[in-house]
Amino acid sequence: MVGPAVDRRIRLHGKPRSAFITTCHTLVYGASLDETGTGMNHGESEEWLSARPNWRRWGWYGLGVVVLASIVGSVNRGLIALIAEPMKQSMALSDSEIGLLTGLALTFVTAIATYPVGWIADRFDRRWLLAGCILIWTVATVGFGFATSFRGLFLCAMGIAAGEAVLGPVTYSMIPDLFPKERWVAANFVFVTATLLGTYLGMALGGSLFGWVAANAAVLPGFVAGLEPWRATIVLSALTGPPLAGMVFVMRLVRMTPPHAKSAQSGVAAYFRENARTTVGIFFGFGLSYAAFGAQAQWNAVILQRLFKETPAQIGQFLGVFGAAAAVAGVCLAWLAVRSLRARHGDETPMLVARLALLCALVVSLPIPFASKAWHFYAVILAKIGFTFMANSLSPTVLQLMSPSPIRGRVVALGGMVTIVAASFMPWLVGLLSDHVFTGPRGIILAMAAVAIPGLAGGLLALHWGSRTLGETIARAQAREVHP
C-alpha cells in the first residue's frame, strides 16, 4: 500500500506518477504498484530481461498487434449498429429482433465466453488462442453478411461475440509476457486508451467503408458483387482477419507467469456480507448507468437514419470523429475534477465526481424525445458521451478503493459482470417497446428515451444509496491492506 508520505503518488524510474496512472495499472491487474512503481524486485527484473533480449522491438510490435485487433473488433461491432436500419428493411426484421442482435447476441455472449477464454489463455499458447479467435470472428462476420434469416444472423453475431471475447483476457495476460514490469503501466495505458478511441475510430472506418461500397457497386470484387451494400460492407470488413492472424503468429512471447496463491473463498464471501449495501449500490449504479448509455448508443444510428434521413456513412464519420473527441474530453475532465477536489473530499472524490457527471448526463438526456432535427440529436449524443465517459472512467477507481488487494480482481470482475448483463438486455427492451408500445412515426426515439432516461436515473439513485456506506468500506479495505 502506498502511504501518505508520497501524497497518493507512486514513483516510477525516480519520477512521480499520478494516481490516475496507478489506476490504469490496477484496472487491469487488480493490484497496485509498489512504492518503487515497478512491483518487480531486482532478481525478477534480471530473469525477465535475460529471457527477452529484444523485448523493446517485439514488445511494442506485439502491443501494436493487439491494439489493431481491438480496432478491427470495434469496426465489426460498429458496422452492425450502422447497418441495422438497412438490414431491418432488407430482411423485414422487427425492432425487437434488432435489439436481440445488438444486445443479447453480441454483449451477453461476450460475457459468457470471457471466462472460458481466460481459463484457456492461462494454459495454452496465447498466440494460437488469439489467432484462432480472430479467425472465428472473421468467419462469423462473413456468415453474417450472407445470412438469410434472423436465426442465421443471431448465430453469426454470437460467433462474432465469442471470437472477440478473447481480446480482454488474452491481451491483459500477454502484456506481462511482452514487457518488463516497469513498462506495464505505459503498455496498459496505451491499450486502454486505444480501446476507448478504437470504438469511435471503428465507427468512422465502418461508415467510410459503407459509403465507398454504396458508391462503387460496379467495381466490387466478384465474391461480393450483386450483394446489397450492407451485406457487401460487412463481408469486406472481414478481410482484415487472416492478415491480422498472421501478424499474431509473428509475435515473440516468452511466458513468465508467476504462480498465484489461492485466496480463501470465505474471505470473498465475508467481504460482500460486510459491505453488502456499498457493493450492491455501486455495482448496480454503474451497471445501470452504463447500460442506459449503451441502450442509446446501439439505437443512435437507427434513429438518425429512420427519423432524420442520415446515411450510415454520414453517421459513422461524424460520430467516429466527434464521439472520440467527446469521450477523451470526458476522461480528461474527470481526471482534472478528481485532482482538484481530492484535497477536500479524500478517497470519496471519484464517486462524487462520477455522480455529478451522471447527473449532467441525465439532464442532457431529457430533451431526447423532443429532438426534431439531426443536429439536435447529435448534440445530445455528444454531450451524453462526454459526461458518461467522465463518470464511467472513474468506476474502476471506485472499485479499487473499496476492495482490498487480495480480492480486488474478483470485485472488479463482478462489478463488470453486472454492467455487461444489464447492457445485454436494454437494447432489446428498446426494440420491444418500439414494436408494441410506441408504434407511431417517432416510436423508436420515444422507446429509447423510455429506457435510457429511467435507467440512468435508477443508476444515480443506486449510486447515492451505495455511497452512504462507501467511506466505511474504503476504510475497511485500507485497514486490511495495512494489517493483512
Side-chain angles (χ1 to χ4, degrees), residues 208-348:
S208 298
L209 179 60
F210 185 93
W212 182 85
V213 168
N216 296 276
V219 298
L220 292 177
F223 65 94
V224 292
L227 292 179
E228 297 168 272
W230 72 267
R231 292 184 181 276
T233 300
I234 200 77
V235 172
L236 289 174
S237 73
L239 296 182
T240 56
L244 185 58
M247 293 171 67
V248 170
F249 282 119
V250 178
M251 293 168 64
R252 293 188 180 180
L253 297 180
V254 180
R255 178 167 296 210
M256 299 282 285
T257 305
H260 295 282
K262 277 192 173 181
S263 298
Q265 294 299 323
S266 59
V268 179
Y271 169 82
F272 283 108
R273 283 195 303 269
E274 192 175 34
N275 302 285
R277 176 169 176 169
T278 306
T279 53
V280 170
I282 302 302
F283 287 2
F284 281 91
F286 279 120
L288 285 173
S289 64
Y290 191 78
F293 170 76
Q296 178 175 341
Q298 293 292 347
W299 287 98
N300 283 336
V302 171
I303 291 170
L304 285 164
Q305 292 173 70
R306 191 178 300 179
L307 300 185
F308 304 115
K309 309 308 177 186
E310 295 283 286
T311 67
Q314 290 172 322
I315 297 167
Q317 291 165 3
F318 183 89
L319 290 183
V321 174
F322 292 101
V328 172
V331 173
C332 292
L333 187 58
W335 181 77
L336 289 173
V338 170
R339 185 171 182 175
S340 300
L341 298 173
R342 184 180 288 277
R344 177 180 299 179
H345 298 283
D347 285 337
E348 295 187 53

Side-chain angles (χ1 to χ4, degrees), residues 264-455:
Q265 294 299 323
S266 59
V268 179
Y271 169 82
F272 283 108
R273 283 195 303 269
E274 192 175 34
N275 302 285
R277 176 169 176 169
T278 306
T279 53
V280 170
I282 302 302
F283 287 2
F284 281 91
F286 279 120
L288 285 173
S289 64
Y290 191 78
F293 170 76
Q296 178 175 341
Q298 293 292 347
W299 287 98
N300 283 336
V302 171
I303 291 170
L304 285 164
Q305 292 173 70
R306 191 178 300 179
L307 300 185
F308 304 115
K309 309 308 177 186
E310 295 283 286
T311 67
Q314 290 172 322
I315 297 167
Q317 291 165 3
F318 183 89
L319 290 183
V321 174
F322 292 101
V328 172
V331 173
C332 292
L333 187 58
W335 181 77
L336 289 173
V338 170
R339 185 171 182 175
S340 300
L341 298 173
R342 184 180 288 277
R344 177 180 299 179
H345 298 283
D347 285 337
E348 295 187 53
T349 305
M351 174 54 70
L352 174 64
V353 173
R355 288 166 56 195
L356 290 174
L358 288 176
L359 180 61
C360 293
L362 178 61
V363 171
V364 301
S365 299
L366 296 178
I368 287 175
F370 311 104
S372 58
K373 296 181 180 179
W375 73 265
H376 294 164
F377 194 60
Y378 276 125
V380 171
I381 291 172
L382 294 179
K384 194 168 181 181
I385 287 173
F387 288 122
T388 303
F389 273 91
M390 181 179 176
N392 284 284
S393 66
L394 296 170
S395 62
T397 306
V398 174
L399 293 175
Q400 291 151 12
L401 286 169
M402 61 185 269
S403 55
S405 59
I407 61 170
R408 186 170 294 147
R410 281 165 286 180
V411 172
V412 173
L414 186 55
M417 284 294 298
V418 172
T419 299
I420 292 172
V421 171
S424 301
F425 290 97
M426 279 197 176
W428 168 74
L429 184 57
V430 173
L432 194 67
L433 291 176
S434 175
D435 286 337
H436 301 291
V437 178
F438 302 103
T439 56
R442 291 177 58 84
I444 185 61
I445 197 170
L446 295 176
M448 188 269 285
V451 172
I453 294 175

Side-chain angles (χ1 to χ4, degrees), residues 41-291:
N41 61 42
H42 181 69
E44 184 182 359
S45 180
E46 285 187 347
E47 180 187 3
W48 197 100
L49 293 172
S50 65
R52 304 167 177 81
N54 297 315
W55 71 266
R56 286 182 176 83
R57 179 195 308 166
W58 292 107
W60 291 109
Y61 169 82
L63 184 63
V65 171
V66 295
V67 165
L68 184 59
S70 176
I71 293 174
V72 171
S74 296
V75 170
N76 287 342
R77 286 177 176 266
L79 266 178
I80 292 175
L82 285 174
I83 66 172
E85 185 63 13
M87 180 173 62
K88 169 187 166 71
Q89 302 299 328
S90 171
M91 300 189 66
L93 301 176
S94 67
D95 284 340
S96 301
E97 289 171 325
I98 294 294
L100 286 172
L101 286 174
T102 58
L104 191 64
L106 283 176
T107 307
F108 191 68
V109 172
T110 299
I112 296 173
T114 295
Y115 285 99
V117 166
W119 183 89
I120 295 171
D122 285 336
R123 290 160 176 81
F124 300 98
D125 191 324
R126 291 165 182 145
R127 291 173 300 180
W128 282 92
L129 178 59
L130 179 55
C133 285
I134 289 172
L135 295 177
I136 288 172
W137 94 51
T138 297
V139 172
T141 301
V142 173
F144 193 95
F146 285 101
T148 57
S149 66
F150 172 73
R151 179 178 296 179
L153 290 172
F154 193 87
L155 290 174
C156 290
M158 290 175 64
I160 294 171
E164 292 181 357
V166 72
L167 289 175
V170 169
T171 298
Y172 296 151
S173 57
M174 269 187 173
I175 285 176
D177 293 336
L178 291 169
F179 294 92
K181 206 162 193 176
E182 61 266 25
R183 299 286 184 174
W184 287 5
V185 173
N188 292 330
F189 185 72
V190 168
F191 181 75
V192 169
T193 304
T195 301
L196 170 66
L197 295 178
T199 301
Y200 295 98
L201 177 60
M203 185 170 288
L205 293 175
S208 298
L209 179 60
F210 185 93
W212 182 85
V213 168
N216 296 276
V219 298
L220 292 177
F223 65 94
V224 292
L227 292 179
E228 297 168 272
W230 72 267
R231 292 184 181 276
T233 300
I234 200 77
V235 172
L236 289 174
S237 73
L239 296 182
T240 56
L244 185 58
M247 293 171 67
V248 170
F249 282 119
V250 178
M251 293 168 64
R252 293 188 180 180
L253 297 180
V254 180
R255 178 167 296 210
M256 299 282 285
T257 305
H260 295 282
K262 277 192 173 181
S263 298
Q265 294 299 323
S266 59
V268 179
Y271 169 82
F272 283 108
R273 283 195 303 269
E274 192 175 34
N275 302 285
R277 176 169 176 169
T278 306
T279 53
V280 170
I282 302 302
F283 287 2
F284 281 91
F286 279 120
L288 285 173
S289 64
Y290 191 78

